Amino acid sequence: MKSVLKILEEVFENPTAPYRENWVLSHVKKELLRLKVPFCQDKWGNIIAGTTALKSLKTSQKLALVAHTDHPGFHVLGPKGKNSWRAKWYGGGPPKVFNSPVAIYNPLFPHESVKGKILSKKLNIKSKGEFIIHVPGASKFVNRECFGGFAYPGFRKREFRISTRVADDLTGVAIILSTFERLKTRERKKMLGI
């Protein structure tokens, strides 16, 4: 049986951003298979753990735990001169971002990243959240499929404190997986994880 701490670490290490949640979703599916928890997906890609048929939800009397797999972050839009890229922010963010370090992830290279920093003074809402990132020497890694966020650790534990870039969002995912991990097969039949 995996500890809650190990489940947290594994979930938190997956980079994510709105509409770029594939690594987290893949990890969740792998864990559900390991735990032998049935699941299905709806047409939007949401995972429903605890059932193999969406139709059964209409009459279900199960307790459902719900979490989301994204976290505020950005999508790379395209190049903006040498070593600079245009990006668009999704979700909440601080008003001042100039020189903030960011990590950029390429879907073709799981868990690898390049570092950059924001050149814009703020996330300009009038320009639809667009801003500029400076990424020295990473033009072969960075492209329009990339996404990212502030360069915080995925998971770091010091004494009784855990630091992460995705606390509120992926904590719920880890709670759902931890609950399935600890329930007996008979008890799992009374629960859904969405």
Side-chain angles (χ1 to χ4, degrees), residues 79-141:
K80 175 79 173 179
K82 187 177 180 182
N83 295 328
S84 294
W85 294 82
R86 291 182 312 108
K88 181 175 180 177
W89 193 268
Y90 292 87
K96 295 181 182 179
V97 294
F98 181 66
N99 272 337
S100 293
V102 294
I104 300 170
Y105 303 93
N106 184 318
L108 297 177
F109 303 101
H111 304 290
E112 290 183 32
S113 66
V114 295
K115 302 292 187 218
K117 66 180 176 180
I118 297 176
L119 295 179
S120 302
K121 299 279 184 199
K122 58 184 178 178
L123 302 175
N124 191 345
I125 303 305
K126 290 180 182 176
S127 64
K128 301 178 183 170
E130 290 189 19
F131 62 102
I132 306 298
I133 301 170
H134 177 70
V135 187
S139 60
K140 293 180 182 176
F141 183 88

Coordinates of all heavy atoms in Angstrom, one line a residue, residues 79-141:
P79 N 7.0 32.3 -31.4 CA 8.2 33.1 -31.2 C 8.0 34.6 -31.2 O 7.1 35.0 -31.9 CB 9.2 32.6 -32.3 CG 8.3 32.0 -33.3 CD 7.1 31.5 -32.7
K80 N 8.8 35.3 -30.5 CA 8.8 36.8 -30.5 C 10.2 37.3 -30.5 O 10.7 37.7 -29.5 CB 8.0 37.3 -29.3 CG 8.0 38.8 -29.1 CD 7.0 39.4 -29.9 CE 6.9 40.9 -29.6 NZ 5.9 41.6 -30.4
G81 N 10.9 37.1 -31.6 CA 12.2 37.5 -31.7 C 13.2 36.5 -31.2 O 12.7 35.4 -30.8
K82 N 14.4 36.8 -31.1 CA 15.4 35.8 -30.6 C 15.3 35.5 -29.1 O 15.3 36.4 -28.3 CB 16.8 36.3 -30.9 CG 17.9 35.3 -30.7 CD 19.3 35.8 -31.0 CE 20.3 34.8 -30.7 NZ 21.7 35.2 -30.9
N83 N 15.2 34.2 -28.8 CA 15.1 33.8 -27.4 C 13.9 34.3 -26.7 O 13.9 34.2 -25.4 CB 16.4 34.1 -26.6 CG 17.6 33.4 -27.2 OD1 17.5 32.3 -27.7 ND2 18.7 34.0 -27.1
S84 N 12.9 34.8 -27.3 CA 11.7 35.2 -26.7 C 10.4 34.6 -27.3 O 10.4 34.3 -28.5 CB 11.5 36.8 -26.7 OG 12.6 37.4 -26.0
W85 N 9.4 34.3 -26.5 CA 8.2 33.7 -26.9 C 7.0 34.4 -26.4 O 7.0 34.9 -25.2 CB 8.2 32.2 -26.4 CG 9.3 31.4 -27.0 CD1 10.6 31.4 -26.7 CD2 9.2 30.6 -28.2 NE1 11.3 30.5 -27.5 CE2 10.5 30.0 -28.4 CE3 8.1 30.2 -29.0 CZ2 10.7 29.1 -29.5 CZ3 8.4 29.3 -30.0 CH2 9.6 28.8 -30.3
R86 N 6.0 34.4 -27.2 CA 4.7 35.0 -26.7 C 4.0 33.8 -26.0 O 4.1 32.6 -26.5 CB 3.8 35.4 -27.9 CG 4.3 36.6 -28.6 CD 3.4 37.1 -29.8 NE 3.0 36.1 -30.7 CZ 1.8 35.5 -30.8 NH1 0.8 35.9 -30.1 NH2 1.6 34.5 -31.7
A87 N 3.2 34.1 -25.0 CA 2.5 33.1 -24.2 C 1.2 33.7 -23.8 O 1.0 34.9 -23.8 CB 3.3 32.6 -23.0
K88 N 0.2 32.9 -23.4 CA -1.1 33.3 -22.9 C -1.3 32.6 -21.6 O -1.2 31.4 -21.5 CB -2.2 33.0 -23.9 CG -3.5 33.5 -23.5 CD -4.6 33.2 -24.5 CE -5.9 33.7 -23.9 NZ -7.0 33.6 -24.9
W89 N -1.7 33.4 -20.6 CA -1.9 32.9 -19.3 C -3.4 32.5 -19.1 O -4.3 33.2 -19.6 CB -1.6 34.0 -18.3 CG -1.6 33.5 -16.9 CD1 -2.6 33.4 -16.0 CD2 -0.4 32.9 -16.2 NE1 -2.2 32.8 -14.8 CE2 -0.9 32.5 -14.9 CE3 0.9 32.6 -16.6 CZ2 0.0 31.8 -14.1 CZ3 1.7 32.0 -15.7 CH2 1.3 31.6 -14.5
Y90 N -3.6 31.4 -18.5 CA -5.0 30.9 -18.1 C -5.1 30.7 -16.6 O -4.2 30.2 -16.0 CB -5.2 29.5 -18.8 CG -5.3 29.6 -20.3 CD1 -4.1 29.5 -21.1 CD2 -6.5 29.8 -20.9 CE1 -4.2 29.6 -22.5 CE2 -6.6 29.9 -22.3 CZ -5.5 29.8 -23.1 OH -5.5 29.8 -24.5
G91 N -6.2 31.2 -16.1 CA -6.4 31.1 -14.6 C -5.9 32.3 -13.9 O -5.4 33.2 -14.5
G92 N -6.0 32.3 -12.6 CA -5.5 33.4 -11.8 C -4.0 33.5 -11.7 O -3.3 32.6 -11.9
G93 N -3.6 34.8 -11.5 CA -2.2 35.0 -11.4 C -1.9 36.3 -10.7 O -2.8 37.2 -10.6
P94 N -0.7 36.5 -10.2 CA -0.4 37.8 -9.5 C -0.3 39.0 -10.5 O -0.1 38.8 -11.7 CB 1.0 37.5 -8.9 CG 1.6 36.5 -9.8 CD 0.4 35.6 -10.3
P95 N -0.6 40.2 -10.0 CA -0.6 41.3 -10.9 C 0.8 41.7 -11.4 O 1.0 42.3 -12.4 CB -1.2 42.4 -10.0 CG -1.0 42.0 -8.6 CD -1.0 40.5 -8.6
K96 N 1.8 41.5 -10.6 CA 3.2 41.8 -11.0 C 4.0 40.5 -11.3 O 4.1 39.7 -10.4 CB 3.9 42.6 -9.9 CG 3.2 43.9 -9.6 CD 4.0 44.7 -8.5 CE 3.3 46.0 -8.3 NZ 3.9 46.8 -7.2
V97 N 4.5 40.4 -12.5 CA 5.2 39.2 -12.8 C 6.6 39.4 -13.5 O 7.3 38.5 -13.8 CB 4.3 38.4 -13.8 CG1 3.1 37.9 -13.2 CG2 4.0 39.2 -15.1
F98 N 7.0 40.7 -13.7 CA 8.2 41.0 -14.3 C 9.4 40.2 -13.7 O 9.6 40.2 -12.5 CB 8.5 42.5 -14.3 CG 9.8 42.9 -15.0 CD1 9.9 42.7 -16.4 CD2 10.8 43.4 -14.3 CE1 11.1 43.0 -17.0 CE2 12.0 43.8 -14.9 CZ 12.1 43.6 -16.3
N99 N 10.2 39.5 -14.5 CA 11.4 38.8 -14.1 C 11.0 37.5 -13.3 O 11.9 36.8 -12.8 CB 12.4 39.6 -13.3 CG 13.3 40.3 -14.2 OD1 13.6 39.9 -15.3 ND2 13.9 41.4 -13.7
S100 N 9.7 37.1 -13.2 CA 9.4 35.9 -12.5 C 9.9 34.7 -13.3 O 9.8 34.6 -14.5 CB 7.9 35.8 -12.4 OG 7.3 36.8 -11.6
P101 N 10.6 33.8 -12.6 CA 11.0 32.6 -13.3 C 9.9 31.6 -13.6 O 8.9 31.5 -12.8 CB 12.0 31.9 -12.2 CG 11.6 32.5 -10.9 CD 10.9 33.8 -11.2
V102 N 10.0 31.0 -14.8 CA 8.9 30.1 -15.2 C 9.6 28.8 -15.7 O 10.8 28.8 -16.1 CB 8.0 30.7 -16.4 CG1 7.2 31.8 -15.8 CG2 8.9 31.1 -17.6
A103 N 8.8 27.7 -15.7 CA 9.3 26.5 -16.3 C 8.4 26.2 -17.5 O 7.2 26.4 -17.4 CB 9.2 25.4 -15.2
I104 N 9.0 25.7 -18.5 CA 8.2 25.4 -19.8 C 8.4 23.9 -20.0 O 9.5 23.4 -20.0 CB 8.8 26.2 -21.0 CG1 8.6 27.7 -20.6 CG2 8.0 25.9 -22.2 CD1 9.3 28.6 -21.6
Y105 N 7.3 23.3 -20.3 CA 7.2 21.8 -20.6 C 6.8 21.6 -22.0 O 5.9 22.2 -22.5 CB 6.2 21.2 -19.6 CG 6.6 21.4 -18.2 CD1 6.0 22.5 -17.5 CD2 7.5 20.7 -17.5 CE1 6.3 22.8 -16.2 CE2 7.9 20.9 -16.2 CZ 7.3 22.0 -15.5 OH 7.6 22.3 -14.2
N106 N 7.4 20.6 -22.6 CA 7.1 20.1 -23.9 C 6.4 18.8 -23.8 O 7.0 17.8 -23.2 CB 8.4 20.0 -24.8 CG 8.1 19.7 -26.2 OD1 7.3 18.8 -26.5 ND2 8.8 20.3 -27.1
P107 N 5.2 18.6 -24.4 CA 4.5 17.3 -24.2 C 5.3 16.1 -24.8 O 5.0 15.0 -24.4 CB 3.2 17.5 -25.0 CG 3.0 19.0 -25.0 CD 4.4 19.6 -25.0
L108 N 6.2 16.3 -25.7 CA 7.0 15.2 -26.2 C 8.1 14.8 -25.3 O 8.7 13.7 -25.5 CB 7.6 15.6 -27.5 CG 6.7 16.0 -28.7 CD1 7.4 16.4 -29.9 CD2 5.8 14.8 -29.0
F109 N 8.4 15.6 -24.2 CA 9.5 15.2 -23.3 C 9.0 15.3 -21.9 O 9.2 16.2 -21.1 CB 10.7 16.2 -23.5 CG 11.2 16.3 -24.9 CD1 10.9 17.3 -25.7 CD2 12.0 15.3 -25.4 CE1 11.3 17.3 -27.0 CE2 12.5 15.3 -26.7 CZ 12.2 16.3 -27.5
P110 N 8.3 14.2 -21.5 CA 7.7 14.2 -20.1 C 8.7 14.5 -19.0 O 9.8 14.0 -19.0 CB 7.1 12.8 -20.0 CG 6.9 12.4 -21.4 CD 8.0 13.0 -22.2
H111 N 8.3 15.4 -18.1 CA 9.1 15.8 -16.9 C 10.4 16.5 -17.2 O 11.2 16.6 -16.3 CB 9.2 14.6 -16.0 CG 7.9 14.0 -15.7 ND1 7.0 14.6 -14.8 CD2 7.2 12.9 -16.1 CE1 5.9 13.9 -14.7 NE2 6.0 12.8 -15.5
E112 N 10.7 16.9 -18.4 CA 11.8 17.7 -18.7 C 11.2 19.1 -18.8 O 10.1 19.3 -19.2 CB 12.5 17.3 -20.0 CG 13.2 16.0 -19.9 CD 14.0 15.7 -21.2 OE1 14.4 16.6 -21.9 OE2 14.1 14.5 -21.5
S113 N 12.1 20.1 -18.5 CA 11.6 21.5 -18.6 C 12.8 22.4 -19.0 O 14.0 22.0 -18.8 CB 10.9 22.0 -17.4 OG 11.9 22.1 -16.3
V114 N 12.5 23.6 -19.5 CA 13.5 24.6 -19.6 C 13.0 25.8 -18.8 O 11.8 26.0 -18.6 CB 13.7 25.0 -21.1 CG1 14.3 23.9 -21.9 CG2 12.5 25.6 -21.7
K115 N 14.0 26.6 -18.3 CA 13.7 27.7 -17.5 C 13.7 29.0 -18.3 O 14.4 29.1 -19.3 CB 14.7 27.9 -16.4 CG 14.8 26.7 -15.4 CD 13.5 26.5 -14.6 CE 13.7 25.4 -13.6 NZ 12.6 24.5 -13.4
G116 N 12.8 29.9 -18.0 CA 12.8 31.2 -18.6 C 12.4 32.2 -17.6 O 12.2 31.9 -16.4
K117 N 12.2 33.5 -18.0 CA 11.6 34.5 -17.1 C 10.7 35.4 -17.9 O 10.9 35.6 -19.1 CB 12.7 35.2 -16.4 CG 13.6 36.1 -17.3 CD 14.6 36.8 -16.4 CE 15.6 37.6 -17.3 NZ 16.6 38.3 -16.6
I118 N 9.8 35.9 -17.2 CA 8.7 36.8 -17.8 C 9.3 38.2 -18.1 O 9.9 38.8 -17.1 CB 7.5 36.8 -17.0 CG1 6.8 35.5 -16.9 CG2 6.5 37.9 -17.5 CD1 5.6 35.4 -16.0
L119 N 9.2 38.7 -19.3 CA 9.7 40.0 -19.6 C 8.6 41.1 -19.5 O 9.0 42.2 -19.4 CB 10.3 40.0 -21.1 CG 11.5 39.2 -21.3 CD1 11.9 39.3 -22.8 CD2 12.6 39.6 -20.4
S120 N 7.4 40.7 -19.5 CA 6.3 41.6 -19.4 C 6.1 42.1 -18.0 O 6.4 41.4 -17.0 CB 5.0 41.0 -19.9 OG 5.1 40.5 -21.2
K121 N 5.7 43.4 -17.9 CA 5.5 43.9 -16.5 C 4.3 43.3 -15.8 O 4.3 43.2 -14.6 CB 5.2 45.5 -16.6 CG 6.4 46.2 -17.2 CD 7.4 46.5 -16.2 CE 8.5 47.3 -16.9 NZ 9.8 47.2 -16.2
K122 N 3.3 42.9 -16.5 CA 2.1 42.2 -15.9 C 1.4 41.3 -17.0 O 1.7 41.4 -18.1 CB 1.1 43.3 -15.4 CG 0.6 44.2 -16.5 CD -0.3 45.3 -15.8 CE -0.8 46.3 -16.9 NZ -1.7 47.3 -16.4
L123 N 0.5 40.5 -16.5 CA -0.3 39.7 -17.4 C -1.4 40.5 -17.9 O -2.4 40.8 -17.2 CB -0.8 38.5 -16.6 CG 0.2 37.6 -15.9 CD1 -0.5 36.5 -15.1 CD2 1.1 37.0 -16.9
N124 N -1.2 41.0 -19.1 CA -2.1 42.0 -19.7 C -3.5 41.4 -20.0 O -3.6 40.8 -21.1 CB -1.5 42.7 -20.9 CG -2.2 43.9 -21.3 OD1 -3.3 44.1 -21.0 ND2 -1.5 44.7 -22.2
I125 N -4.5 41.7 -19.2 CA -5.8 41.1 -19.4 C -6.4 41.8 -20.7 O -7.2 41.1 -21.4 CB -6.7 41.4 -18.2 CG1 -6.1 40.7 -16.9 CG2 -8.1 40.9 -18.4 CD1 -5.8 39.3 -17.1
K126 N -6.1 43.0 -20.9 CA -6.6 43.7 -22.1 C -6.1 43.0 -23.4 O -6.8 43.0 -24.4 CB -6.2 45.2 -22.1 CG -7.0 46.0 -21.1 CD -6.6 47.4 -21.1 CE -7.3 48.2 -20.0 NZ -6.8 49.6 -19.9
S127 N -5.0 42.4 -23.4 CA -4.5 41.7 -24.5 C -4.7 40.2 -24.3 O -3.9 39.4 -24.8 CB -3.0 42.0 -24.8 OG -2.2 41.5 -23.7
K128 N -5.8 39.9 -23.7 CA -6.2 38.5 -23.5 C -5.2 37.6 -22.7 O -5.0 36.5 -23.0 CB -6.6 37.9 -24.8 CG -7.7 38.6 -25.5 CD -8.0 38.0 -26.9 CE -9.1 38.8 -27.5 NZ -9.3 38.5 -28.9
G129 N -4.5 38.2 -21.8 CA -3.6 37.5 -20.9 C -2.3 37.2 -21.6 O -1.5 36.3 -21.1
E130 N -2.0 37.8 -22.7 CA -0.7 37.5 -23.4 C 0.5 38.3 -22.7 O 0.3 39.3 -22.2 CB -0.8 37.9 -24.9 CG -1.7 37.0 -25.7 CD -1.7 37.3 -27.2 OE1 -0.7 37.8 -27.6 OE2 -2.6 36.8 -27.8
F131 N 1.6 37.6 -22.8 CA 2.8 38.2 -22.2 C 4.0 37.6 -23.0 O 3.9 36.7 -23.8 CB 2.9 38.0 -20.7 CG 2.9 36.5 -20.3 CD1 4.1 35.9 -19.9 CD2 1.8 35.8 -20.3 CE1 4.2 34.6 -19.6 CE2 1.8 34.4 -19.9 CZ 3.0 33.8 -19.6
I132 N 5.2 38.1 -22.6 CA 6.5 37.6 -23.3 C 7.4 36.9 -22.3 O 7.5 37.4 -21.2 CB 7.2 38.8 -23.9 CG1 6.3 39.6 -24.9 CG2 8.5 38.4 -24.6 CD1 5.8 38.9 -26.0
I133 N 8.0 35.8 -22.7 CA 8.9 35.1 -21.9 C 10.2 35.0 -22.6 O 10.3 34.8 -23.8 CB 8.4 33.6 -21.7 CG1 7.1 33.5 -21.1 CG2 9.4 32.8 -20.9 CD1 6.5 32.1 -21.1
H134 N 11.3 35.3 -21.9 CA 12.7 35.1 -22.4 C 13.2 33.7 -22.0 O 13.1 33.3 -20.9 CB 13.6 36.2 -21.8 CG 15.0 36.0 -22.2 ND1 15.4 36.3 -23.5 CD2 16.1 35.6 -21.5 CE1 16.7 36.1 -23.6 NE2 17.2 35.7 -22.4
V135 N 13.6 32.9 -23.0 CA 14.1 31.6 -22.9 C 15.4 31.5 -23.6 O 15.4 31.2 -24.8 CB 13.1 30.5 -23.4 CG1 13.5 29.1 -23.0 CG2 11.7 30.8 -22.9
P136 N 16.5 31.6 -22.9 CA 17.8 31.6 -23.6 C 18.2 30.2 -24.1 O 18.1 29.2 -23.4 CB 18.8 32.1 -22.5 CG 18.1 31.9 -21.2 CD 16.6 31.9 -21.5
G137 N 18.4 30.2 -25.4 CA 19.0 28.9 -26.0 C 18.1 27.7 -26.0 O 18.6 26.6 -26.0
A138 N 16.8 27.8 -26.0 CA 15.9 26.6 -25.9 C 15.0 26.5 -27.1 O 14.0 25.9 -27.0 CB 15.1 26.7 -24.6
S139 N 15.4 27.1 -28.2 CA 14.5 27.2 -29.4 C 14.2 25.8 -29.9 O 13.1 25.6 -30.5 CB 15.1 28.1 -30.5 OG 16.3 27.5 -30.9
K140 N 15.0 24.8 -29.7 CA 14.7 23.4 -30.2 C 13.7 22.7 -29.3 O 13.0 21.8 -29.7 CB 16.0 22.6 -30.4 CG 16.9 23.2 -31.5 CD 18.1 22.3 -31.6 CE 19.0 23.0 -32.7 NZ 20.3 22.3 -32.8
F141 N 13.6 23.1 -28.1 CA 12.7 22.5 -27.1 C 11.3 23.2 -27.1 O 10.3 22.5 -27.0 CB 13.3 22.6 -25.7 CG 12.5 21.9 -24.6 CD1 12.7 20.6 -24.3 CD2 11.6 22.6 -23.9 CE1 12.0 20.0 -23.3 CE2 10.8 22.0 -22.9 CZ 11.0 20.7 -22.6

